[in-house]
């Protein structure tokens, strides 16, 4: 910003009157280079966002994508700070911020602030090897209708059939084919509207715990010879061993 003084002089030689002076400013058009931090988690508290660029002046405002000005502090010609309140970061998404100069009406280019969904937990967190397809509930923060649950098995990431319930809950179907072998399935939430993705939670796939429901015979006479004991139940697998207590 450059500031000049203007005055008027009478060109006639019979008068050497000079007017008063007024201030005249030449202000640069604001330009945004980046914002930081980004990405940030949805659902958090108040924080100050650094807006970096050039041509900033006192009185400039940082604007949310809907054009609403948010609380702005002038730091220098190359930096402003914007107050990001909990309501602004409640939901995941990509938010293009601009800077406007009310003195000239000029508005900068935009720079994106990414707010990512947060995944707190999944339920169930474990499944038996060989189980049929199951419905997984994902609990977190900042979910929108653009959210998709992803699973990673053997290094391959696959989007799942996802149902948006509300901002804290999604459901998704894990296909039976993903449960055919023991191991860990990494689950995360992605925001397809540009809001990034959450950290992962693991779904553990392991052989089911054997369940004994009966013995035959249920008793023998002491001192008798060898006999065959039949154990009945469920979730038995090749290699299972009956232990004598």
């Amino acid at each position: 910003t450059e500031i000049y003084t203007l005055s008027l002089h009478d060109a006639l030689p019979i008068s050497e009157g000079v007017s008063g002076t007024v201030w005249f400013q030449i202000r640069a058009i604001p330009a945004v280079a980046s914002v930081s931090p980004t990405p940030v988690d949805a659902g958090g508290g108040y924080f100050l966002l650094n807006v970096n660029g050039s041509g900033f002046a006192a009185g400039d405002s940082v604007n949310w994508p809907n054009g609403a000005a948010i609380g702005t502090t002038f730091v220098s010609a190359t930096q402003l700070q914007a107050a990001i309140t909990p309501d602004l970061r409640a939901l995941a998404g990509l938010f293009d911020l601009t800077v406007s100069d009310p003195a000239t009406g000029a508005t900068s280019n935009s720079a994106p602030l990414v707010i990512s969904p947060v995944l707190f937990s999944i339920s169930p967190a474990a499944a038996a090897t060989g189980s049929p397809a199951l419905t997984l509930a994902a609990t977190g923060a900042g979910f929108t209708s653009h959210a998709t649950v992803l699973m990673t098995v053997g290094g391959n990431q696959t989007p799942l059939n996802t149902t948006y319930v509300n901002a804290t809950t999604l459901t998704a179907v894990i296909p039976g084919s993903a449960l055919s072998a023991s191991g860990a399935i990494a689950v995360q939430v992605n925001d397809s509207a540009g809001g990034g993705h959450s950290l992962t939670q693991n779904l553990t796939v392991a052989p089911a715990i054997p369940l004994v429901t009966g013995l035959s015979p249920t008793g023998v006479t002491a001192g008798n010879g060898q006999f065959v004991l039949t154990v009945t139940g469920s979730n038995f697998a090749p290699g299972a061993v009956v232990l004598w207590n």
Side-chain angles (χ1 to χ4, degrees), residues 20-200:
T21 59
V22 294
W23 295 103
F24 179 79
Q25 286 186 315
I26 298 178
R27 295 166 73 104
I29 297 174
V32 179
S34 65
V35 300
S36 65
T38 186
V40 295
D41 287 343
Y46 167 98
F47 74 97
L48 290 176
L49 180 76
N50 293 317
V51 180
N52 307 301
S54 61
F56 301 153
D60 284 1
S61 64
V62 177
N63 308 307
W64 204 243
N66 62 6
I70 56 181
T72 304
T73 300
F74 174 76
V75 179
S76 70
T78 60
Q79 187 176 81
L80 303 173
Q81 288 188 325
I84 306 300
T85 53
D87 59 304
L88 293 178
R89 63 182 298 187
L91 297 176
L94 186 151
F95 301 90
D96 287 322
L97 306 185
T98 59
V99 173
S100 61
D101 183 349
T104 63
T107 299
S108 73
N109 60 300
S110 63
L113 168 64
V114 175
I115 299 178
S116 300
V118 179
L119 180 60
F120 295 142
S121 63
I122 57 175
S123 179
T129 305
S131 296
L134 63 83
T135 297
L136 185 79
T139 301
F143 300 155
T144 72
S145 58
H146 300 293
T148 302
V149 177
L150 307 176
M151 73 171 184
T152 301
V153 181
N156 297 315
Q157 191 174 75
T158 305
L160 300 177
N161 184 11
T162 302
T163 300
Y164 170 77
V165 179
N166 55 42
T168 61
T169 307
L170 304 170
T171 62
V173 177
I174 303 286
S177 59
L179 306 172
S180 61
S182 298
I185 297 175
V187 176
Q188 67 182 166
V189 175
N190 180 67
D191 185 88
S192 62
H197 57 78
S198 71
L199 297 178
T200 60

